[in-house]
């Protein structure tokens, strides 16, 4: 068994090298010196955790993985692919410039904000449930976390300060990429980002992706093999924004980050990993979290190209 305590002690001081996200005011109040690490090992079917593994924090951009998987489940792979591209972006995740580079009138990928708002807009009311109610229920199931819920305070904070995201959504509408009511899609997007998870829920999500779409805790398939592979590939190419290429080359581990300080990785057929540490680098990725993932990739031999 790997010595997670040692890895945590070594990396905790790195929390001083980053800054907690402050552009969403509710996130600025989070305590900085936290580091939680959880590994869901598929071989032993067991979780190993250390530090703040049960502390709840905002999922933020990692929710984009969940809505993408749910949109594929509800609308089908072809429709989702026809509405959002799979290209890398050279700009920040919320840059309007991402939209100026048009490829077949589609946002560049589902992990920049414009692409995520597009994905969210594809989810339709079903069985008397709103799109957000469906996303929440799906998130609880795929993260094996029935307590996963919406944090109203973070939601209001996102909504109040979300004018850049509003601009992106109205750009999509003005350019006929979204025809529906963008106000509803924006609300759903802000709510999905404001769901509270733990590093353990993220390790569970990573484990489902690593296990080809089958929940390892009950052996039931929740997403198709095709969806699991597609999402892992996208995490590899665009999961860490502008740093994606650097980390794909460095640790070769499909990973998605969020500005709440979460990181979720899926090492195919090996393990799912959830890390929580709020201070971020300039691109919006957890500083201590990325360093932990580098070490885990080396020590557990997780690089998919090895
Ligand atoms: N809610 C955040 C936003 O829309 C999510 C961004 C992120 O985690 N990178 O800006």
């Amino acid at each position: 068994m790997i010595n997670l305590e040692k890895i945590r002690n070594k990396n905790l001081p790195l929390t001083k090298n980053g800054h907690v996200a402050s552009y969403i005011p509710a996130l600025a109040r989070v305590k900085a010196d936290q580091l939680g690490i959880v590994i869901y090992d598929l071989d032993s079917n067991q979780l190993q955790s250390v530090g703040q593994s049960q502390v709840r924090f905002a999922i933020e951009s990692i929710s984009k993985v969940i809505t993408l998987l749910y949109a594929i489940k509800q609308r089908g792979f072809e429709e989702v692919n026809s509405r959002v591209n799979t290209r890398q972006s050279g700009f920040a995740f919320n840059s309007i410039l991402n939209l100026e580079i048009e490829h077949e009138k589609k946002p560049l990928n589902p992990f920049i904000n414009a692409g995520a708002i597009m994905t969210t807009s594809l989810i339709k009311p079903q069985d008397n449930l709103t799109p957000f109610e469906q996303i929440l229920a799906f998130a609880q199931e795929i993260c094996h976390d029935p307590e996963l819920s919406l944090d109203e305070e973070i939601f209001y904070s996102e909504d109040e300060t979300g004018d850049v995201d509003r601009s992106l959504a109205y750009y999509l509408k003005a350019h006929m990429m979204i025809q529906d009511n963008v106000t509803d899609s924006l609300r759903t997007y802000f709510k999905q980002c404001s769901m509270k998870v733990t590093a353990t829920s993220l390790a569970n999500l990573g484990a489902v992706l690593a296990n080809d779409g089958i929940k390892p805790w009950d052996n039931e398939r929740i997403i198709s093999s095709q969806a699991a592979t597609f999402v892992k590939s996208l995490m590899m190419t665009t999961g860490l924004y502008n740093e994606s290429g650097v980390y794909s080359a460095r640790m070769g581990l499909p990973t998605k980050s969020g500005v709440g300080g979460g990181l979720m990785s899926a090492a195919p057929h090996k393990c799912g990993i959830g890390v929580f540490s709020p201070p971020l680098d300039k691109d919006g990725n957890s500083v201590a979290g990325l360093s932990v993932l580098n070490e885990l990739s080396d020590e557990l031999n997780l690089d998919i190209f090895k």
Side-chain angles (χ1 to χ4, degrees):
M1 252 200 181
I2 188 162
N3 189 342
L4 281 188
E5 194 74 53
K6 196 172 141 207
I7 293 185
R8 181 177 185 272
N9 291 342
K10 187 172 155 201
N11 287 288
L12 189 60
L14 293 182
T15 52
K16 293 196 176 61
N17 299 358
H19 298 282
V20 171
S22 56
Y23 75 104
I24 300 166
L27 297 184
R29 293 192 274 278
V30 174
K31 197 165 147 285
D33 63 334
Q34 303 193 73
L35 177 56
I37 312 167
V38 183
I39 302 179
Y40 191 126
D41 177 50
L42 292 178
D43 238 10
S44 60
N45 207 21
Q46 271 179 9
L47 286 160
Q48 196 188 342
S49 51
V50 71
Q52 282 77 16
S53 60
Q54 296 298 337
V55 171
R56 292 219 168 251
F57 59 93
I59 188 170
E60 296 299 335
S61 272
I62 305 172
S63 70
K64 294 168 181 172
V65 170
I66 295 175
T67 44
L68 177 60
L69 290 169
Y70 189 71
I72 293 172
K73 212 171 154 80
Q74 197 200 52
R75 313 298 304 174
F77 196 69
E78 294 312 318
E79 186 177 340
V80 172
N81 258 297
S82 72
R83 303 294 295 280
V84 57
N85 226 321
T86 50
R87 309 179 74 93
Q88 285 189 295
S89 133
F91 305 104
F93 56 80
N94 56 2
S95 172
I96 197 118
L97 291 172
N98 284 316
L99 282 167
E100 290 284 8
I101 310 164
E102 282 183 25
H103 284 278
E104 309 156 50
K105 279 212 169 286
K106 295 193 248 183
L108 287 176
N109 69 63
F111 295 158
I112 55 167
N113 289 8
I117 294 165
M118 168 64 88
T119 314
T120 300
S121 79
L122 299 178
I123 300 169
K124 303 295 172 220
Q126 191 173 287
D127 303 329
N128 279 326
L129 295 174
T130 63
F132 178 68
E133 287 166 339
Q134 295 170 60
I135 292 166
L136 180 63
F138 180 70
Q140 289 170 339
E141 195 186 351
I142 201 162
C143 293
H144 198 30
D145 179 4
E147 318 269 278
L148 192 157
S149 59
L150 171 70
D151 184 309
E152 296 279 350
E153 193 196 337
I154 296 174
F155 165 57
Y156 288 124
S157 193
E158 299 247 358
D159 195 19
E160 241 170 58
T161 56
D163 286 339
V164 172
D165 289 324
R166 257 176 222 107
S167 313
L168 297 172
Y170 281 98
Y171 186 103
L172 290 171
K173 187 162 190 267
H175 287 249
M176 313 293 281
M177 288 185 255
I178 292 185
Q179 265 92 37
D180 300 343
N181 180 344
V182 279
T183 324
D184 288 349
S185 300
L186 277 164
R187 264 180 87 78
T188 307
Y189 172 74
F190 293 140
K191 283 187 179 177
Q192 76 178 53
C193 290
S194 310
M195 295 188 297
K196 281 263 191 95
V197 289
T198 64
T200 307
S201 358
L202 296 183
N204 291 336
L205 171 59
V208 173
L209 291 169
N211 200 33
D212 196 39
I214 295 168
K215 294 175 283 173
W217 50 89
D218 63 8
N219 264 327
E220 278 180 25
R221 178 171 292 287
I222 176 166
I223 51 170
S224 67
S225 170
Q226 183 189 35
T229 307
F230 176 70
V231 167
K232 274 179 292 199
S233 304
L234 270 178
M235 283 162 61
M236 196 72 174
T237 50
T238 66
L240 298 171
Y241 312 114
N242 290 341
E243 282 178 294
S244 302
V246 174
Y247 280 94
S248 296
R250 168 69 185 83
M251 63 191 189
L253 184 59
T255 301
K256 183 74 201 83
S257 63
V259 293
L263 285 162
M264 182 273 294
S265 301
H269 312 293
K270 290 183 177 160
C271 63
I273 305 173
V275 185
F276 165 57
S277 184
L280 310 174
D281 62 19
K282 61 170 184 10
D283 290 291
N285 300 313
S286 168
V287 178
L290 281 179
S291 174
V292 165
L293 288 178
N294 267 334
E295 279 191 42
L296 292 179
S297 176
D298 288 345
E299 290 212 19
L300 297 172
N301 209 10
L302 302 179
D303 191 324
I304 62 168
F305 300 108
K306 267 189 183 157

